[in-house]
Amino acid sequence: MDSRFVVLYIFCCYVRCTDDIGVVQTINYVGRTLPSSNQTMPQCSKKKSTSSYILLPSHGMTSNITHPITKTRYFTKDFSNNGTRTCYGRVAFVNNPLHTLSVLEPLEQDGCKNRKRATVVESSKQKSCFVAVNGGFYVPETNECLGNIVSDGRLVKMTPGLRNVHFGIRQDGSLLFGYLSTEEIENTRNPFVQLISGIGWLLRNGTVYLEESKRIECDSEWSAKEIFGSKSGRTVIGSDVDGRVVIVQVDGKTHVSG
């Protein structure tokens, strides 16, 4: 693979879309329930939630779209951990993310407000998508969307004091990865056009950041210890050296495969 990952997250967004007609890739349900785990976590950081993030330029920040908008590759990876385990997944590279990538609510606009639950295929009909993946977290009993969410420049949900990692695209096209204060989310000088919350910052500036992320997120809205170490399907988002958004999706089933 000729790309170098800069930042990765254990998370995904509701739908990744383009404005052109294409084929939707189905990946389970929008949102994920929380698996259980008895894994021991590092000592919890009790610092107040503050901004700690990086901004990176994105690919094609002008209005000129580079075709093909997205390329998808499939992979198989064998791991040895008390036996051989094989993982299957996909990697999608997205050009011009400022103009081709969206975070969409489940099923329709105001889907979070109205507590909708929908499949990725159903939700992706809001736009014509080449690639669509599930993402974010929700409360299964109530269908409440969790975290901070901005969809195509519209603030969907604000959760003050949230200690979870974020992926966002600002109005100037820059890609944001990291932890955000409420004040930063409300910034009107360079507002977010897309934003979603996740769990776990894997790499920061090319350095493994997972242990630090565990300590920061240990008392987040969705406890990180319920996620880290649990075998399951995962979706990871990041960027490469060309500023393309990179989405990695690994097939799996909670506690069974992944």
Side-chain angles (χ1 to χ4, degrees):
M1 187 177 296
D2 59 359
S3 297
R4 175 175 60 86
F5 286 109
V6 178
V7 182
L8 292 179
Y9 290 80
I10 303 175
F11 96 164
C12 49
C13 77
Y14 284 106
V15 180
R16 298 298 184 182
C17 294
T18 70
D19 291 327
D20 294 353
I21 296 175
V23 178
V24 176
Q25 180 179 350
T26 307
I27 311 291
N28 300 323
Y29 277 87
V30 174
R32 298 189 186 276
T33 57
L34 303 182
S36 61
S37 172
N38 294 322
Q39 182 183 14
T40 301
M41 294 298 297
Q43 184 178 357
C44 185
S45 170
K46 296 299 183 181
K47 293 182 180 179
K48 181 182 178 182
S49 178
T50 58
S51 292
S52 176
Y53 58 84
I54 61 174
L55 283 173
L56 300 172
S58 65
H59 173 270
M61 295 170 69
T62 66
S63 59
N64 297 322
I65 304 300
T66 302
H67 293 273
I69 292 173
T70 182
K71 294 181 179 180
T72 302
R73 300 175 182 176
Y74 296 83
F75 66 86
T76 301
K77 178 68 175 179
D78 292 326
F79 296 91
S80 296
N81 185 11
N82 297 324
T84 300
R85 177 164 56 93
T86 302
C87 290
Y88 303 90
R90 306 156 188 81
V91 183
F93 300 86
V94 183
N95 292 326
N96 308 93
L98 175 63
H99 306 290
T100 63
L101 185 152
S102 290
V103 174
L104 298 182
E105 297 179 72
L107 191 62
E108 60 192 10
Q109 184 171 311
D110 291 330
C112 286
K113 177 182 176 181
N114 297 323
R115 305 291 178 91
K116 299 289 186 178
R117 187 189 298 196
T119 64
V120 171
V121 170
E122 292 169 331
S123 298
S124 65
K125 291 179 181 178
Q126 298 172 74
K127 289 193 174 184
S128 299
C129 302
F130 283 114
V131 176
V133 298
N134 68 341
F137 289 82
Y138 70 99
V139 179
E141 295 79 10
T142 64
N143 292 339
E144 177 189 2
C145 298
L146 298 177
N148 296 310
I149 304 169
V150 175
S151 174
D152 292 338
R154 182 175 52 88
L155 179 62
V156 173
K157 183 171 182 179
M158 172 77 77
T159 305
L162 183 69
R163 293 165 62 96
N164 286 84
V165 73
H166 292 78
F167 166 75
I169 303 177
R170 289 195 178 275
Q171 191 175 64
D172 66 357
S174 57
L175 305 176
L176 180 143
F177 302 88
Y179 300 100
L180 295 173
S181 65
T182 300
E183 292 75 19
E184 190 65 42
I185 296 172
E186 294 175 335
N187 183 344
T188 59
R189 296 189 304 275
N190 187 18
F192 285 102
V193 292
Q194 314 293 342
L195 182 68
I196 195 168
S197 311
I199 291 182
W201 195 344
L202 302 186
L203 296 177
R204 180 170 184 167
N205 292 325
T207 302
V208 176
Y209 199 67
L210 186 57
E211 293 303 316
E212 291 86 349
S213 182
K214 287 179 181 180
R215 288 191 288 270
I216 293 170
E217 300 187 36
C218 60
D219 64 349
S220 62
E221 183 171 359
W222 334 296
S223 177
K225 74 176 181 179
E226 302 295 335
I227 302 298
F228 294 119
S230 296
K231 186 186 296 184
S232 186
R234 300 294 183 198
T235 304
V236 178
I237 195 165
S239 66
D240 65 10
V241 293
D242 297 318
R244 299 179 298 175
V245 167
V246 182
I247 303 170
V248 181
Q249 185 270 325
V250 178
D251 294 334
K253 182 178 181 181
T254 302
H255 303 313
V256 176
S257 61

